[in-house]
Amino acid sequence: MPSTDPRLRELIGPEAIRARIGELAIEIEQAVEARPVVLLGVLKGGVHFLSDLARAMSSDPRIEFIRVRTYATGTDAAPESTVIDLGLADLAGEHVVVVDDVLDQGKTALALASTLAPLKLASLRWVFLLVKEGARERSGVRPDFVGFEIRDEWVVGYGLDLDERFRNLSGVYVWHR
Ligand code: IMP
Ligand code: MG
């Protein structure tokens, strides 16, 4: 659904997201030649992205999920730690693409990378719907595929939340206090 909240300003509309995900699906399927591609969705923020990306692909990807929790409330608190709930299927020998909502400080990606490192994957790539300005530098993470480069602002919608709100919006919005 769209938002009528006056504190939200639409940044990326549903149609632009849909179109870009169609392009990403092609990019990913060309880059990862082996089949199946395993899409590893990062909950909760990556839920719509994974769902739409999987349906935009022309091959038959495997779908797995992992949950990463970053302890911080609101928009300014520094995240303190990240806990990963595993329940990962056997990914040894698989070509995995991690599907996440946004690259910001990179704590999620770094924690995930060390969790996945011992699993003997055939290959590991990262797709982020959004990458914030300066995020590559401050995180040291190099995404393989990126939906949109955005300014360093708090965004909500399309899976992204502010204290668990706004995940159901069909576009991405900038939050203004
Ligand atoms: P990281 O800072 O790159 O580790 O990002 C950790 C997680 O924080 C992301 O996967 C999101 O779930 C969340 N996050 C970072 N920036 C935003 C934002 O602007 N809006 C909503 N969630 C965010
Ligand atoms: Mg997230």
Side-chain angles (χ1 to χ4, degrees):
M1 66 163 211
S3 171
T4 52
D5 190 315
R7 296 165 300 182
L8 300 182
R9 175 174 57 77
E10 189 181 84
L11 182 67
I12 311 168
E15 187 48 37
I17 294 173
R18 196 198 59 76
R20 183 69 189 116
I21 288 177
E23 295 170 352
L24 283 172
I26 294 170
E27 281 180 46
I28 291 169
E29 291 191 308
Q30 285 178 348
V32 188
E33 286 172 4
R35 297 290 180 266
V37 177
V38 179
L39 298 179
L40 178 59
V42 182
L43 295 173
K44 304 176 208 171
V47 64
H48 304 314
F49 184 29
L50 179 121
S51 171
D52 287 343
L53 181 63
R55 286 179 292 173
M57 288 172 67
S58 55
S59 67
D60 182 16
R62 253 180 81 181
I63 293 177
E64 300 291 344
F65 289 101
I66 193 165
R67 180 152 187 205
V68 178
R69 248 185 252 129
T70 305
Y71 287 99
T73 51
T75 58
D76 334 296
E80 282 174 18
S81 64
T82 308
V83 173
I84 298 169
D85 293 340
L86 280 177
L88 271 183
D90 184 9
L91 295 176
E94 299 285 358
H95 295 269
V96 173
V97 179
V98 176
V99 181
D100 203 358
D101 52 3
V102 59
L103 179 64
D104 183 7
Q105 305 295 321
K107 299 209 171 155
T108 304
L110 294 177
L112 251 179
S114 55
T115 300
L116 296 174
L119 299 187
K120 299 192 167 56
L121 308 180
S123 68
L124 177 59
R125 293 178 175 84
W126 301 78
V127 58
F128 292 90
L129 180 69
L130 308 172
V131 172
K132 289 190 187 178
E133 192 177 0
R136 285 183 177 78
E137 296 69 27
R138 59 181 175 257
S139 68
V141 175
R142 296 275 168 272
D144 297 281
F145 315 97
V146 175
F148 301 91
E149 310 272 349
I150 64 169
R151 288 170 52 185
D152 188 7
E153 298 175 304
W154 196 262
V155 288
V156 299
Y158 198 73
L160 292 142
D161 72 308
L162 173 61
D163 292 342
E164 298 303 328
R165 295 187 57 202
F166 307 122
R167 290 195 197 272
N168 69 325
L169 299 176
S170 37
V172 173
Y173 293 76
V174 178
W175 166 258
H176 293 287
R177 280 171 291 177

PDB file of all heavy atoms in Angstrom, residues 69-81 154 161 163-164:
ATOM      1  N   ARG A  69      19.640 -10.151  13.527  1.00  0.00           N
ATOM      2  CA  ARG A  69      19.049  -9.119  14.369  1.00  0.00           C
ATOM      3  C   ARG A  69      20.116  -8.130  14.761  1.00  0.00           C
ATOM      4  O   ARG A  69      21.165  -8.531  15.271  1.00  0.00           O
ATOM      5  CB  ARG A  69      18.463  -9.743  15.625  1.00  0.00           C
ATOM      6  CG  ARG A  69      16.960  -9.646  15.653  1.00  0.00           C
ATOM      7  CD  ARG A  69      16.425 -10.152  16.963  1.00  0.00           C
ATOM      8  NE  ARG A  69      15.781 -11.431  16.752  1.00  0.00           N
ATOM      9  CZ  ARG A  69      16.021 -12.521  17.457  1.00  0.00           C
ATOM     10  NH1 ARG A  69      16.914 -12.521  18.415  1.00  0.00           N
ATOM     11  NH2 ARG A  69      15.374 -13.614  17.204  1.00  0.00           N
ATOM     12  N   THR A  70      19.850  -6.881  14.522  1.00  0.00           N
ATOM     13  CA  THR A  70      20.783  -5.833  14.921  1.00  0.00           C
ATOM     14  C   THR A  70      20.125  -5.063  16.047  1.00  0.00           C
ATOM     15  O   THR A  70      19.015  -4.573  15.887  1.00  0.00           O
ATOM     16  CB  THR A  70      21.095  -4.908  13.728  1.00  0.00           C
ATOM     17  OG1 THR A  70      21.567  -5.711  12.662  1.00  0.00           O
ATOM     18  CG2 THR A  70      22.157  -3.890  14.094  1.00  0.00           C
ATOM     19  N   TYR A  71      20.819  -5.014  17.181  1.00  0.00           N
ATOM     20  CA  TYR A  71      20.212  -4.386  18.342  1.00  0.00           C
ATOM     21  C   TYR A  71      20.388  -2.893  18.315  1.00  0.00           C
ATOM     22  O   TYR A  71      21.457  -2.374  18.596  1.00  0.00           O
ATOM     23  CB  TYR A  71      20.787  -4.963  19.641  1.00  0.00           C
ATOM     24  CG  TYR A  71      20.266  -6.348  19.875  1.00  0.00           C
ATOM     25  CD1 TYR A  71      21.014  -7.456  19.550  1.00  0.00           C
ATOM     26  CD2 TYR A  71      18.986  -6.525  20.378  1.00  0.00           C
ATOM     27  CE1 TYR A  71      20.514  -8.733  19.733  1.00  0.00           C
ATOM     28  CE2 TYR A  71      18.475  -7.786  20.564  1.00  0.00           C
ATOM     29  CZ  TYR A  71      19.249  -8.894  20.247  1.00  0.00           C
ATOM     30  OH  TYR A  71      18.746 -10.149  20.419  1.00  0.00           O
ATOM     31  N   ALA A  72      19.342  -2.205  17.959  1.00  0.00           N
ATOM     32  CA  ALA A  72      19.328  -0.741  17.999  1.00  0.00           C
ATOM     33  C   ALA A  72      17.873  -0.344  17.885  1.00  0.00           C
ATOM     34  O   ALA A  72      17.079  -1.038  17.265  1.00  0.00           O
ATOM     35  CB  ALA A  72      20.114  -0.159  16.838  1.00  0.00           C
ATOM     36  N   THR A  73      17.500   0.760  18.508  1.00  0.00           N
ATOM     37  CA  THR A  73      16.129   1.222  18.367  1.00  0.00           C
ATOM     38  C   THR A  73      16.149   2.604  17.742  1.00  0.00           C
ATOM     39  O   THR A  73      17.085   3.360  17.934  1.00  0.00           O
ATOM     40  CB  THR A  73      15.418   1.301  19.722  1.00  0.00           C
ATOM     41  OG1 THR A  73      16.237   2.041  20.614  1.00  0.00           O
ATOM     42  CG2 THR A  73      15.150  -0.082  20.285  1.00  0.00           C
ATOM     43  N   GLY A  74      15.117   2.928  17.022  1.00  0.00           N
ATOM     44  CA  GLY A  74      15.048   4.230  16.382  1.00  0.00           C
ATOM     45  C   GLY A  74      16.036   4.320  15.245  1.00  0.00           C
ATOM     46  O   GLY A  74      16.473   3.313  14.710  1.00  0.00           O
ATOM     47  N   THR A  75      16.387   5.526  14.870  1.00  0.00           N
ATOM     48  CA  THR A  75      17.214   5.715  13.690  1.00  0.00           C
ATOM     49  C   THR A  75      18.654   6.081  14.022  1.00  0.00           C
ATOM     50  O   THR A  75      19.516   5.956  13.177  1.00  0.00           O
ATOM     51  CB  THR A  75      16.646   6.833  12.801  1.00  0.00           C
ATOM     52  OG1 THR A  75      16.586   8.022  13.580  1.00  0.00           O
ATOM     53  CG2 THR A  75      15.273   6.485  12.298  1.00  0.00           C
ATOM     54  N   ASP A  76      18.944   6.550  15.237  1.00  0.00           N
ATOM     55  CA  ASP A  76      20.315   7.015  15.478  1.00  0.00           C
ATOM     56  C   ASP A  76      21.164   6.079  16.331  1.00  0.00           C
ATOM     57  O   ASP A  76      22.368   6.207  16.340  1.00  0.00           O
ATOM     58  CB  ASP A  76      20.402   8.355  16.243  1.00  0.00           C
ATOM     59  CG  ASP A  76      19.210   9.229  16.091  1.00  0.00           C
ATOM     60  OD1 ASP A  76      19.002   9.637  14.961  1.00  0.00           O
ATOM     61  OD2 ASP A  76      18.535   9.486  17.087  1.00  0.00           O
ATOM     62  N   ALA A  77      20.495   5.194  17.114  1.00  0.00           N
ATOM     63  CA  ALA A  77      21.267   4.361  18.032  1.00  0.00           C
ATOM     64  C   ALA A  77      22.241   3.498  17.246  1.00  0.00           C
ATOM     65  O   ALA A  77      21.888   2.901  16.242  1.00  0.00           O
ATOM     66  CB  ALA A  77      20.325   3.469  18.828  1.00  0.00           C
ATOM     67  N   ALA A  78      23.480   3.452  17.710  1.00  0.00           N
ATOM     68  CA  ALA A  78      24.467   2.606  17.049  1.00  0.00           C
ATOM     69  C   ALA A  78      24.111   1.152  17.319  1.00  0.00           C
ATOM     70  O   ALA A  78      23.837   0.798  18.457  1.00  0.00           O
ATOM     71  CB  ALA A  78      25.855   2.919  17.578  1.00  0.00           C
ATOM     72  N   PRO A  79      24.111   0.325  16.312  1.00  0.00           N
ATOM     73  CA  PRO A  79      23.827  -1.079  16.550  1.00  0.00           C
ATOM     74  C   PRO A  79      24.924  -1.689  17.404  1.00  0.00           C
ATOM     75  O   PRO A  79      26.100  -1.439  17.172  1.00  0.00           O
ATOM     76  CB  PRO A  79      23.809  -1.690  15.151  1.00  0.00           C
ATOM     77  CG  PRO A  79      24.268  -0.660  14.215  1.00  0.00           C
ATOM     78  CD  PRO A  79      24.369   0.650  14.924  1.00  0.00           C
ATOM     79  N   GLU A  80      24.529  -2.480  18.410  1.00  0.00           N
ATOM     80  CA  GLU A  80      25.522  -2.970  19.355  1.00  0.00           C
ATOM     81  C   GLU A  80      26.023  -4.352  19.021  1.00  0.00           C
ATOM     82  O   GLU A  80      27.193  -4.629  19.156  1.00  0.00           O
ATOM     83  CB  GLU A  80      24.946  -2.950  20.772  1.00  0.00           C
ATOM     84  CG  GLU A  80      24.972  -1.539  21.323  1.00  0.00           C
ATOM     85  CD  GLU A  80      24.292  -1.409  22.653  1.00  0.00           C
ATOM     86  OE1 GLU A  80      24.106  -2.441  23.313  1.00  0.00           O
ATOM     87  OE2 GLU A  80      23.957  -0.270  23.016  1.00  0.00           O
ATOM     88  N   SER A  81      25.137  -5.211  18.637  1.00  0.00           N
ATOM     89  CA  SER A  81      25.594  -6.549  18.299  1.00  0.00           C
ATOM     90  C   SER A  81      24.608  -7.151  17.326  1.00  0.00           C
ATOM     91  O   SER A  81      23.494  -6.682  17.195  1.00  0.00           O
ATOM     92  CB  SER A  81      25.693  -7.424  19.545  1.00  0.00           C
ATOM     93  OG  SER A  81      24.422  -7.586  20.099  1.00  0.00           O
ATOM     94  N   TRP A 154      17.554   7.786   6.652  1.00  0.00           N
ATOM     95  CA  TRP A 154      16.769   6.638   7.100  1.00  0.00           C
ATOM     96  C   TRP A 154      15.598   6.430   6.153  1.00  0.00           C
ATOM     97  O   TRP A 154      14.834   7.361   5.889  1.00  0.00           O
ATOM     98  CB  TRP A 154      16.259   6.820   8.528  1.00  0.00           C
ATOM     99  CG  TRP A 154      15.811   5.500   9.084  1.00  0.00           C
ATOM    100  CD1 TRP A 154      14.537   5.028   9.143  1.00  0.00           C
ATOM    101  CD2 TRP A 154      16.656   4.479   9.621  1.00  0.00           C
ATOM    102  NE1 TRP A 154      14.535   3.756   9.684  1.00  0.00           N
ATOM    103  CE2 TRP A 154      15.830   3.404   9.985  1.00  0.00           C
ATOM    104  CE3 TRP A 154      18.039   4.368   9.824  1.00  0.00           C
ATOM    105  CZ2 TRP A 154      16.325   2.234  10.548  1.00  0.00           C
ATOM    106  CZ3 TRP A 154      18.523   3.191  10.376  1.00  0.00           C
ATOM    107  CH2 TRP A 154      17.675   2.150  10.740  1.00  0.00           C
ATOM    108  N   ASP A 161      12.067  -1.012   8.026  1.00  0.00           N
ATOM    109  CA  ASP A 161      11.211  -0.558   9.120  1.00  0.00           C
ATOM    110  C   ASP A 161      11.824   0.597   9.888  1.00  0.00           C
ATOM    111  O   ASP A 161      13.009   0.896   9.786  1.00  0.00           O
ATOM    112  CB  ASP A 161      10.983  -1.702  10.104  1.00  0.00           C
ATOM    113  CG  ASP A 161      12.239  -2.003  10.921  1.00  0.00           C
ATOM    114  OD1 ASP A 161      13.309  -2.200  10.306  1.00  0.00           O
ATOM    115  OD2 ASP A 161      12.158  -2.012  12.163  1.00  0.00           O
ATOM    116  N   ASP A 163      11.417   0.894  13.899  1.00  0.00           N
ATOM    117  CA  ASP A 163      10.813   0.220  15.056  1.00  0.00           C
ATOM    118  C   ASP A 163       9.642  -0.669  14.645  1.00  0.00           C
ATOM    119  O   ASP A 163       8.553  -0.601  15.214  1.00  0.00           O
ATOM    120  CB  ASP A 163      10.386   1.235  16.110  1.00  0.00           C
ATOM    121  CG  ASP A 163      11.598   1.909  16.744  1.00  0.00           C
ATOM    122  OD1 ASP A 163      12.713   1.362  16.622  1.00  0.00           O
ATOM    123  OD2 ASP A 163      11.432   2.982  17.347  1.00  0.00           O
ATOM    124  N   GLU A 164       9.879  -1.468  13.656  1.00  0.00           N
ATOM    125  CA  GLU A 164       8.929  -2.479  13.164  1.00  0.00           C
ATOM    126  C   GLU A 164       7.715  -1.907  12.431  1.00  0.00           C
ATOM    127  O   GLU A 164       6.789  -2.651  12.105  1.00  0.00           O
ATOM    128  CB  GLU A 164       8.460  -3.416  14.293  1.00  0.00           C
ATOM    129  CG  GLU A 164       9.580  -4.227  14.912  1.00  0.00           C
ATOM    130  CD  GLU A 164      10.338  -5.084  13.887  1.00  0.00           C
ATOM    131  OE1 GLU A 164       9.726  -5.539  12.902  1.00  0.00           O
ATOM    132  OE2 GLU A 164      11.553  -5.270  14.068  1.00  0.00           O
TER     133      GLU A 164
END
